């Protein structure tokens, strides 16, 4: 095998899409992480999601453990820059509520949602709405029957757990599946994934669970994930660290870059998905910005945000960004407002400031700005927009009513 064969000779898998991000089937390997905020804390969770996206995370998972979390998801999903997956344990109704909230994917643990009727009810709903599900087997929470059958959490027991869940899904004709067989033991997870890769062509999500704090956690996760990646196994990855999740996203990204599986030389443009608050056509501005930056080697994170109400806060980790408000563009550097320009000059100003930052750094950009004036102008437009649009521009309250009905039924 040539030393770089793992980059091209990857295991052939089916492809699924998580909120428009392809996973498997030759798509670039994606980085995932998970928020550690209470999902009911919408603003705090969104801030963490933006920080994760800026750190290179492609897909973010949030826990959906209670009805307040599902209601939070109804507000988070329309404002998230990346697809959101709801993490479900024990209560299948939380999966139904998360679907109602509009999530892009679910993670189910077969070890703790075990009733076939419940599993099939969730898969049927996911099938009807085209939402993929990750079968997230975990060595620490295997079905006790499998534990007894195999005398412990063996690779064979973990693979059988995944296969049983696949069989339930197949009964209702659902196949938008990805699978993980995580363990905190690196040899155990490596062997479980190897065996799983032999018996299924569904895409695989790699991870060493409960790897612990860095640096030991980083070493364990890297050992397990990179061993498999270099065998051509794995379509999406997550570092599970006892640390700020931004460290997980960075580590995942850096590992893929180190293995030559992902590359970043140019602008990393993140943009909000737009929502009821948007003051401009975000897709158009983002496309024009992408075009303006072209192939220039400016390895900065640049954010295009639809509104000044939430944009600068949500994208505070980006090196530079612009948010629309009241026919004006508000430029911000590392979350600090630095200038305001007419709307039609937004893209030019963005490029100009990005070039300055690339040459002189963010501190110099903030130092040259009249931040007091820029912040005052941003506050003025923010207040105006809130007065015009009200507090619930995304009609999330309607979804919350549906969630409550679903959970109460
Ligand atoms: S328009 Fe504003 S609130 Fe909506 S997603 Fe964009 S930045 Fe967030």
């Amino acid at each position: 095998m040539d030393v770089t064969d793992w980059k091209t000779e990857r295991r052939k898998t089916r492809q699924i899409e998580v909120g428009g991000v392809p996973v498997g089937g030759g798509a670039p390997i994606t980085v995932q992480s998970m928020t550690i905020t209470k999902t009911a804390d919408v603003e705090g969770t969104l801030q963490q999601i933006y920080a994760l996206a800026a750190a290179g995370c492609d897909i973010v998972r949030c826990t959906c453990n209670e009805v307040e979390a599902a209601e939070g998801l109804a507000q988070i999903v329309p404002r998230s820059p990346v697809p959101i997956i709801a993490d479900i344990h024990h209560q299948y109704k939380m999966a139904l509520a998360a679907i109602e909230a509009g999530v892009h994917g679910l993670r189910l643990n077969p070890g703790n949602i075990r009733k076939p009727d419940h599993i099939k009810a969730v898969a049927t709903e996911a099938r009807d709405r085209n939402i993929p599900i990750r079968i997230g087997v975990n060595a620490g929470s295997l079905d006790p029957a499998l534990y007894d059958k195999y005398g412990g959490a063996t690779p064979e027991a973990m693979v059988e757990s995944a296969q049983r869940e696949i069989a339930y899904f197949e009964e209702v004709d659902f196949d938008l599946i990805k699978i993980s067989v995580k363990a905190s033991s690196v040899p155990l997870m490596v062997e479980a994934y190897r065996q799983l890769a032999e018996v299924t062509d569904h895409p695989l999500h790699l991870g060493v669970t409960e790897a612990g704090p860095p640096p030991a956690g980083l070493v364990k996760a890297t050992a397990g994930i990179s061993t498999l990646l270099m065998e051509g196994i794995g379509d999406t990855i997550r570092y599970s660290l006892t640390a700020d999740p931004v460290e997980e996203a960075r580590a995942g990204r850096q590992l893929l870059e180190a293995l030559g599986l992902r590359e970043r030389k140019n602008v990393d443009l993140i943009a909000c998905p737009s929502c009821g608050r948007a003051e401009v056509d975000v897709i158009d501005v983002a496309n024009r910005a992408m075009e303006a930056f072209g192939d220039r080697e400016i390895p900065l994170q640049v954010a295009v945000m639809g509104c000044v109400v939430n944009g600068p806060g949500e994208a505070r980790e980006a090196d530079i960004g612009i948010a629309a408000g009241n026919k004006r563009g508000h430029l911000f550097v590392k979350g600090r407002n630095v200038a305001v320009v007419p709307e039609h000059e937004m893209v030019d100003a963005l490029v100009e400031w990005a070039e300055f930052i690339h040459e002189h750094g963010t501190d110099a950009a903030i130092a040259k700005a009249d931040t007091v004036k820029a912040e005052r102008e941003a506050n003025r437009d923010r207040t105006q927009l809130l007065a015009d649009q009200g507090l619930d521009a995304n009609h999330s309250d309607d979804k919350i009513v549906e969630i409550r009905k679903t959970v109460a039924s």
Side-chain angles (χ1 to χ4, degrees), residues 2 5 52 54 115 128 136 159 222 230-231 265 279 296 307 318 323 370 388 392 397:
D2 183 84
D5 275 357
L52 288 170
K115 286 199 175 137
D128 291 348
V159 170
T222 304
M230 293 181 74
E231 293 176 12
K265 289 198 307 250
E279 276 285 290
R296 284 189 233 192
C307 76
D370 185 346
D388 292 348
D392 190 24
D397 290 347

Side-chain angles (χ1 to χ4, degrees), residues 50 78-80 272-278 305-307 310-311 314 394:
Y50 266 91
R79 290 168 54 191
S80 170
C272 80
S274 188
C275 76
R277 285 222 182 279
M305 307 298 285
C307 76
N310 296 307
E314 286 176 358
N394 290 318

